[in-house]
């Protein structure tokens, strides 16, 4: 059972980042769900119960593993892949992007075009961005 304030929510945002979950300021029409990293199926029953007009997005790391996670979640949920990202992402990337620690490089051919347009500089520099460094942004939008 899920309870929320007044009105209907129009968006569900999932995250596997406890820091982002604790700090993210949500739009009034959104529901935030923490998704345990080792239990991707936990979100499936919730999203399956949502009315079709409710949009799902995920806030996670912008790195190869994070992109793969959203793509796998989208496939499992039967929803389009959608990333919840700050609108002013460029200054965050300039300040907080870090070299990838995973030996697996970016694979641009696997990245949906809308996300590729947003993170091409991370791909070129072989760097990534954690969800936590984005969580205090004030304006957000879905990409995907």
């Amino acid at each position: 059972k899920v309870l929320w304030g007044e009105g209907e929510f129009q968006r569900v945002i999932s995250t596997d980042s406890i820091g982002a979950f604790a700090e993210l300021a949500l739009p009034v029409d959104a529901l935030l769900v923490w998704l345990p990293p080792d239990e991707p199926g936990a979100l499936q029953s919730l999203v399956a119960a949502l009315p079709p007009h409710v949009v799902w997005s995920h806030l996670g790391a912008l790195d190869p593993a994070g992109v793969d996670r959203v793509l796998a979640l989208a496939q499992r949920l039967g929803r389009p892949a959608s990333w919840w990202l700050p609108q002013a992402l460029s200054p965050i990337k300039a300040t907080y992007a870090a070299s990838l620690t995973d030996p697996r490089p970016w694979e641009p051919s696997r990245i949906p075009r809308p996300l590729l347009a947003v993170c091409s500089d991370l791909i070129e520099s072989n760097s990534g961005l954690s969800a936590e460094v984005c969580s205090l942004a004030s304006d957000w939008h879905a990409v995907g």
Side-chain angles (χ1 to χ4, degrees):
K1 185 173 186 178
V2 176
L3 301 174
W4 62 93
E6 294 182 30
E8 291 186 33
F9 58 89
Q10 303 297 315
R11 173 177 306 281
V12 169
I13 302 163
S14 60
T15 186
D16 49 13
S17 164
I18 293 174
F21 183 81
E23 297 298 329
L24 187 67
L26 286 175
V28 295
D29 64 347
L31 174 70
L32 180 62
V33 177
W34 180 70
L35 176 63
D38 55 346
E39 293 185 40
L43 187 61
Q44 199 163 354
S45 59
L46 171 68
V47 172
L50 295 173
H53 72 275
V54 175
V55 180
W56 165 76
S57 298
H58 186 77
L59 169 59
L62 274 180
D63 60 18
V67 170
D68 286 348
R69 181 163 172 76
V70 174
L71 293 173
L73 280 170
Q75 183 175 9
R76 179 182 285 251
L77 299 172
R79 298 269 178 143
S82 177
W83 287 261
W84 191 243
L85 298 174
Q87 288 184 359
L89 188 58
S90 292
I92 296 170
K93 289 187 291 186
T95 305
Y96 297 106
S99 296
L100 294 178
T101 56
D102 188 346
R104 182 177 45 154
W106 285 98
E107 296 177 39
S109 63
R110 294 184 34 89
I111 302 171
R113 283 191 178 134
L115 183 64
L116 188 58
V118 171
C119 66
S120 61
D121 51 346
L122 293 175
I123 295 166
E124 290 172 12
S125 65
N126 201 38
S127 57
L129 196 62
S130 73
E132 289 84 2
V133 299
C134 296
S135 63
L136 296 178
S138 57
D139 296 314
W140 294 78
H141 67 281
V143 173

